[in-house]
Amino acid sequence: MTNNELNRFQTLLAARVVELERLVSDRDAITVERSADQLDEIQGASERALAVSNLDRDFTHLRNARAALRRIEDGSFGTCQRCDEDIHPKRLAAVPWAQFCIQCQETMDRNPEMTEAPVRDFLLNVA
């Protein structure tokens, strides 16, 4: 991968990190407000559940984008973390924080137990 491509991905990922940090800092949607009306309570609980789900997704994307920036810094960006093959540029263009090539990702999607150990090890290294 050329330096220009790496710089482009770094800029893209840095902008995504800024955007996600702004999104995850806004937690007003998960505040609990009591209402005398049971229907309002149910609707509020549903809206909070959706907000928590969105917040969880945004935190996951933020963690992945930061990890991709670290891979750019350490020179491993664009290399599959499982098989050490290059990740196809089209995959990186679609998912710049991708840490696995499409074949390894598909294998892990079909066999979720394969993901547990690498993800756990990865998260321990990130923390």
Side-chain angles (χ1 to χ4, degrees):
M1 185 171 298
T2 68
N3 282 337
N4 284 340
E5 291 172 323
L6 280 175
N7 288 336
R8 185 173 50 88
F9 281 118
Q10 188 170 23
T11 302
L12 177 84
L13 287 163
R16 183 74 174 143
V17 164
V18 169
E19 175 189 355
L20 288 166
E21 285 174 340
R22 183 185 51 77
L23 287 173
V24 299
S25 68
D26 181 24
R27 297 184 182 132
D28 291 337
I30 61 174
T31 58
V32 177
E33 296 177 10
R34 292 290 178 193
S35 173
D37 185 16
Q38 188 176 14
L39 189 56
D40 287 342
E41 284 282 331
I42 293 169
Q43 182 178 356
S46 176
E47 289 170 358
R48 274 190 308 281
L50 179 61
V52 167
S53 176
N54 289 339
L55 188 61
D56 182 53
R57 181 201 61 224
D58 292 341
F59 267 117
T60 300
H61 286 167
L62 177 59
R63 185 176 52 243
N64 290 339
R66 286 178 175 162
L69 285 171
R70 281 191 296 279
R71 288 194 303 275
I72 288 174
E73 290 172 8
D74 72 18
S76 65
F77 182 80
T79 303
C80 179
Q81 302 294 300
R82 186 163 179 256
C83 70
D84 290 330
E85 294 293 322
D86 287 341
I87 299 173
H88 196 280
K90 287 184 180 180
R91 175 160 169 74
L92 288 174
V95 186
W97 50 85
Q99 57 182 330
F100 303 109
C101 67
I102 195 72
Q103 291 83 10
C104 290
Q105 185 68 57
E106 287 174 349
T107 300
M108 292 185 340
D109 287 346
R110 283 191 303 270
N111 303 311
E113 64 275 357
M114 292 179 71
T115 359
E116 292 173 6
V119 168
R120 183 187 62 243
D121 295 342
F122 172 75
L123 292 176
L124 288 173
N125 290 332
V126 170

